[in-house]
Amino acid sequence: MDPLALLILASFWFIAPAYAANGFPPLMRGRMPIDGKRMFRGTRLLGDGKTWEGLIGGVVFGVFVGSLQIFGQDYLPQEIAGLPRMSFPIVFLLTIGTMAGDIGGSFVKRRMRMKRGDRALFLDQLGFLLMAFLFVWPLYKIPLDIMIVLVLLTPIIHWLSNVLGYWIHVKRNPW
Ligand code: CTP
Ligand code: MG
């Protein structure tokens, strides 16, 4: 297999639990805001876009996808051998880091007086990714080339998936 194609495949393989955790919450149509509608210095702490249902759904789906990878990784074709080896601690940290980044992003957006759903360049696209990196780091030193591929490709994937989510009416805005 072409080395660049293999690198991109390895990158998506590694980050799949984080993408799963980040993409699932809109499908939950949650109603219970994590901040309990509490205010912080005059604005909502997190806002109605961060719900318990979304948080739990994201963690469960991220761990589910990671579990499929863990159980499937020994049965992959020989041509794509050498993908990052997944484990439950890695999957869990990727998933929790993703949700922490998502929630942290909303916290920052509210402090900047941005309304729910307002777009925040970099924060929306890369906040969850960088927090996922940070959380797994103690257990797995992510290869630099994988990190670079993900930082470059995630904004594109994020944008594409949000347009899709908007089309299928699970997202309020196409971003
Ligand atoms: N969502 C949720 N719980 C979460 C994360 C997301 O219920 N923990 C749902 C909400 O319905 C949210 C939608 O997924 O509106 C899209 O997520 P996101 O873009 O992260 O939230 P925004 O609505 O853009 O809110 P914010 O401005 O706070 O980022
Ligand atoms: Mg948003």
Side-chain angles (χ1 to χ4, degrees):
M1 199 170 170
D2 173 62
L4 180 62
L6 196 57
L7 170 62
I8 293 174
L9 182 68
S11 303
F12 287 147
W13 166 265
F14 172 68
I15 211 63
Y19 280 7
N22 195 248
F24 197 73
L27 298 171
M28 295 293 295
R29 302 195 173 276
R31 300 168 152 276
M32 289 166 52
I34 295 170
D35 65 7
K37 299 216 182 268
R38 268 187 289 275
M39 309 289 279
F40 180 76
R41 299 188 184 164
T43 37
R44 281 288 292 278
L45 184 61
L46 301 174
D48 286 330
K50 296 294 114 95
T51 68
W52 285 112
E53 295 93 327
L55 174 63
I56 293 164
V59 171
V60 168
F61 191 61
V63 170
F64 170 72
V65 167
S67 306
L68 294 181
Q69 293 177 274
I70 291 168
F71 294 122
Q73 58 194 347
D74 291 329
Y75 304 98
L76 295 172
Q78 196 55 46
E79 307 89 77
I80 56 169
L83 295 179
R85 190 146 187 95
M86 304 304 270
S87 68
F88 278 109
I90 287 176
V91 164
F92 193 65
L93 290 174
L94 281 174
T95 304
I96 297 291
T98 293
M99 302 320 283
D102 185 48
I103 289 169
S106 289
F107 179 79
V108 171
K109 284 167 79 173
R110 296 301 90 79
R111 304 293 70 75
M112 291 162 52
R113 302 275 185 237
M114 299 174 79
K115 294 193 303 291
R116 170 192 181 176
D118 280 356
R119 75 208 291 182
L121 228 67
F122 300 116
L123 208 56
D124 282 340
Q125 292 87 356
L126 294 176
F128 81 92
L129 182 71
L130 298 181
M131 285 302 264
F133 286 175
L134 198 69
F135 272 56
V136 280
W137 195 256
L139 262 192
Y140 179 68
K141 306 283 178 269
I142 312 156
L144 185 63
D145 51 2
I146 289 189
M147 288 199 283
I148 292 171
V149 165
L150 289 174
V151 166
L152 293 177
L153 293 188
T154 299
I156 301 169
I157 309 274
H158 191 266
W159 177 77
L160 284 175
S161 66
N162 282 352
V163 169
L164 179 76
Y166 181 71
W167 276 346
I168 62 172
H169 300 289
V170 297
K171 286 275 295 187
R172 297 149 58 92
N173 309 298
W175 58 77

